[in-house]
Amino acid sequence: MTKEATKTSSRRRVLSGLAALPLVSIVSSRARGAEFVWKYATGQDPTHPVNLRAAEAIARIREATGGRVEINLFPANQLGSDTDLISQARSGGVEILNISSSILATLVPSCGMLNTGFAFPDYDHVWRAMDGAFGDHVRAQIVKSGLFVTDKIWNNGFRQVSSSTRKITTPDSIKGFKIRVPVAPMLTSLFQSLGASPTPINFNEVYSALQTKIVEGQENALPLIYTTKLYEVQTSIAMTDHVWDGFWVVGNRRAFAGLPADLRAIVAKEIDRSAIEQRQDVVKLSDTLRADLQAKGITFVDVDRAAFRDTLGKSGFYKNWQAKFGDELWNKLQDVVGPL
Ligand code: X2X
């Protein structure tokens, strides 16, 4: 068996071991007197802060409810791809789901607006928007779609463009670039507008799509690139910061409505506490991972972001999306970030 295949199969063994564990613990949860035994699904590697902080919230919830609420964590798309998991959260196949706003936009279009290209210059503007009127408006649309959603959005980070072929340096260099994007209308549109050739692929298929050269590159925040080991199949990263993305923690509405109010309040409070902690984890990791990724052989390219934003503007990208989202929501974002 090749080195690569050995690594993949050992990763599979680890994950299948992880998958077996929660199922066993569901049976034992009932035996321990848990009244509510829930599944919490994510698409990220077990080592990503999304899962580390979710596990802490789960432990605090078990403690604060006296064991009445047992939640089992299923990371790394063990229960299905991100787009499958949205359907499972709606049907009750899973009770809690951590899902990128860019992908949730396939169900709730306004979720895609926080991925408007180059909208956020820094985290101060991100949190002012997401914890203010703009975020409230988007959350209200998620509730309207039939899902429960917690108050505080989690942090996926500022996205960068990685490549295994050409180095991305200027807007011209990305023309025709075969890039994987999530199943996310805004990101597909952004790279089409830059003249690249985007292919929507679910995250659990990204590593193999890069390894087999179905695509030349992908775009993601450094913590995702690092924890999913994409540096093994990529050679350079252009620090474009082209969008900020967040993770919503959404829930099956019937499941949340079925919780007594005091237990529901504990679940929401502890998940929101972990959201605030996870936000800072990603900020810190994004500062330190550049050196770690360089040590793994990645070449970094610092680009002129204004040139990319200018190309996007000239393509009509902002005008088109303002027309789609409507002035009311567009202005809520512009109130924080300025004219787009
Ligand atoms: O699929 C991706 O690239 C990821 C993991 O960042 C999202 O969830 C959008």
Side-chain angles (χ1 to χ4, degrees):
M1 193 186 281
T2 64
K3 189 163 114 333
E4 200 41 59
T6 311
K7 212 181 283 184
T8 311
S9 73
S10 67
R11 196 176 298 152
R12 281 215 185 95
R13 261 204 316 280
V14 168
L15 286 181
S16 60
L18 268 173
L21 193 63
L23 293 174
V24 169
S25 63
I26 287 175
V27 174
S28 58
S29 300
R30 293 251 185 252
R32 283 198 295 271
E35 292 164 54
F36 304 92
V37 182
W38 282 8
K39 293 196 277 295
Y40 186 145
T42 83
Q44 284 63 48
D45 187 89
T47 59
H48 190 280
V50 149
N51 289 309
L52 301 177
R53 293 297 186 181
E56 290 177 356
I58 287 168
R60 293 196 302 267
I61 289 165
R62 182 186 308 112
E63 180 70 27
T65 62
R68 293 174 64 192
V69 179
E70 277 279 337
I71 301 174
N72 296 290
L73 184 60
F74 292 84
N77 291 116
Q78 289 169 32
L79 298 183
S81 69
D82 283 340
T83 44
D84 295 340
L85 287 170
I86 293 175
S87 313
Q88 290 188 49
R90 298 182 76 192
S91 67
V94 298
E95 287 77 17
I96 303 181
L97 170 61
N98 174 90
I99 187 75
S100 159
S101 197
S102 65
I103 301 172
L104 192 56
T106 53
L107 174 66
V108 186
S110 54
C111 281
M113 194 166 154
L114 54 93
N115 303 134
T116 300
F118 302 98
F120 294 113
D122 53 37
Y123 273 112
D124 173 55
H125 288 84
V126 168
W127 306 130
R128 275 168 42 210
M130 298 318 300
D131 293 336
F134 174 73
D136 289 345
H137 185 112
V138 177
R139 285 180 56 254
Q141 302 304 310
I142 295 172
V143 172
K144 265 197 203 136
S145 78
L147 288 169
F148 174 91
V149 60
T150 57
D151 284 349
K152 298 294 179 191
I153 195 169
W154 295 48
N155 188 8
N156 189 3
F158 281 90
R159 301 176 78 92
Q160 321 298 343
V161 177
S162 68
S163 171
S164 67
T165 54
R166 68 182 93 172
K167 282 193 183 63
I168 302 301
T169 53
T170 63
D172 275 349
S173 65
I174 206 166
K175 289 194 181 348
F177 183 59
K178 289 193 293 175
I179 184 168
R180 173 270 172 181
V181 290
V183 181
M186 178 59 95
L187 286 162
T188 304
S189 159
L190 187 149
F191 285 97
Q192 280 170 340
S193 303
L194 288 174
S197 171
T199 303
I201 298 175
N202 269 304
F203 190 63
N204 54 318
E205 294 158 25
V206 170
Y207 189 98
S208 57
L210 294 168
Q211 194 176 37
T212 55
K213 306 281 184 215
I214 290 173
V215 289
E216 298 174 75
Q218 63 86 50
E219 45 79 54
N220 241 300
L222 299 189
L224 257 299
I225 294 172
Y226 189 80
T227 53
T228 314
K229 298 185 167 49
L230 299 186
Y231 52 80
E232 294 174 345
V233 288
Q234 298 284 261
T235 53
S236 68
I237 295 176
M239 295 301 281
T240 51
D241 279 348
H242 52 278
V243 305
W244 174 78
D245 187 40
F247 291 118
W248 293 106
V249 172
V250 295
N252 175 262
R253 179 156 54 185
R254 270 190 318 282
F256 271 77
L259 274 187
D262 59 334
L263 299 188
R264 186 165 58 245
I266 290 169
V267 171
K269 172 175 164 262
E270 295 306 339
I271 292 176
D272 277 341
R273 173 181 155 184
S274 277
I276 300 302
E277 292 162 347
Q278 185 271 350
R279 290 179 180 182
Q280 290 318 311
D281 296 340
V282 168
V283 172
K284 286 192 201 108
L285 271 178
S286 302
D287 291 342
T288 58
L289 283 177
R290 180 163 175 158
D292 297 334
L293 286 162
Q294 276 169 325
K296 299 283 186 186
I298 292 286
T299 303
F300 277 84
V301 183
D302 292 304
V303 301
D304 172 5
R305 294 173 186 134
F308 282 88
R309 175 169 180 158
D310 188 45
T311 303
L312 215 43
K314 289 194 177 106
S315 74
F317 173 87
Y318 295 102
K319 289 255 166 305
N320 296 340
W321 282 102
Q322 179 172 358
K324 284 194 182 100
F325 286 125
D327 290 347
E328 188 202 355
L329 187 56
W330 196 258
N331 290 334
K332 281 193 167 71
L333 182 58
Q334 288 191 135
D335 288 348
V336 175
V337 301
L340 289 167

